């Protein structure tokens, strides 16, 4: 949304870009999480087989503790979609392009901090460190998207 908003004032273009980004991002996060958890699960199953062959395996229901790739993928997609829908909804109600961009940054920043705090609380790590990391990473992504789209869309005569 930041990239399109940097070169296009039309609210419809920004909303369409936001929706496309929401769907693409949720799918990308889900697929990445699914592949990662499948790999982790495969490693754990192989380790259990090796232990069983050695005779050191304790049958204590380890199968129940294996990660669920589909569940992880769904959770990741849902978390991304929730985080992406907030700026999308906020932008839909702001008509002034410069104000819209400020609202996008503000709402996205609040969402990033909330996700950082939630992640820290769930992981029992530093709330300040986690939320700062997520916020700065989000700002870097927004700034990069804004800057590159502005550079490509403005200076090279492309119609977006």
């Amino acid at each position: 949304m930041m990239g399109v908003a940097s070169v296009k004032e039309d609210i419809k273009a920004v909303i369409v870009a936001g929706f496309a980004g929401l769907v693409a991002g949720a799918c990308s996060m889900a697929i990445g999480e699914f592949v990662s958890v499948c790999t982790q699960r495969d490693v754990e199953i192989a380790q259990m087989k090796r232990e069983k062959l050695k005779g050191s395996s304790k049958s204590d229901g380890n199968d129940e503790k294996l990660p669920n790739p589909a569940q992880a993928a769904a959770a990741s997609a849902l978390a991304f979609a929730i985080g992406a829908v907030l700026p999308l909804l906020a932008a839909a109600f702001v008509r002034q392009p410069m104000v819209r961009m400020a609202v996008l940054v503000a709402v996205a920043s609040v969402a990033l901090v909330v996700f950082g705090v939630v992640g820290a609380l769930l992981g029992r790590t530093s709330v300040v460190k986690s939320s700062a990391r997520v916020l700065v990473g989000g700002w870097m992504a927004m700034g990069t998207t804004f800057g590159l789209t502005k550079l490509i869309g403005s200076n090279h005569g492309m119609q977006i």
Side-chain angles (χ1 to χ4, degrees):
M1 289 177 69
M2 289 296 297
V4 172
S6 73
V7 295
K8 193 88 170 160
E9 292 186 356
D10 178 28
I11 192 166
K12 289 179 187 176
V14 174
I15 298 300
V16 168
F19 182 74
L22 184 155
V23 172
C27 288
S28 176
M29 294 295 289
I31 292 165
E33 193 71 25
F34 184 84
V35 168
S36 175
V37 174
C38 279
T39 302
Q40 178 185 350
R41 183 182 176 96
D42 292 346
V43 168
E44 290 181 25
I45 289 171
Q47 181 64 32
M48 289 180 349
K49 285 180 181 176
R50 283 192 295 273
E51 289 174 2
K52 188 174 184 179
L53 287 175
K54 287 182 184 177
S56 64
S57 177
K58 300 173 190 137
S59 183
D60 59 357
N62 277 344
D63 289 350
E64 293 176 13
K65 295 179 183 175
L66 289 173
N68 182 334
Q71 186 179 30
S76 187
L78 181 63
F80 186 92
I82 290 169
V85 80
L86 298 174
L88 183 60
L89 288 174
F93 298 104
V94 181
R95 297 287 173 208
Q96 294 289 77
M98 293 306 289
V99 175
R100 185 182 316 123
M101 273 210 280
V103 168
L104 283 173
V105 171
V107 171
S109 296
V110 170
L112 290 166
V113 168
V114 168
F115 276 112
V117 168
V118 169
L121 293 174
L122 291 174
R124 296 187 179 141
T125 62
S126 168
V127 170
V128 172
K129 193 176 191 179
S130 177
S131 57
R133 185 180 318 129
V134 173
L135 179 62
V136 170
W139 282 347
M140 290 170 61
M142 285 188 280
T144 301
T145 303
F146 177 89
L148 289 176
T149 307
K150 184 88 168 159
L151 177 70
I152 292 169
S154 302
N155 295 340
H156 298 289
M158 294 179 71
Q159 289 292 332
I160 296 178

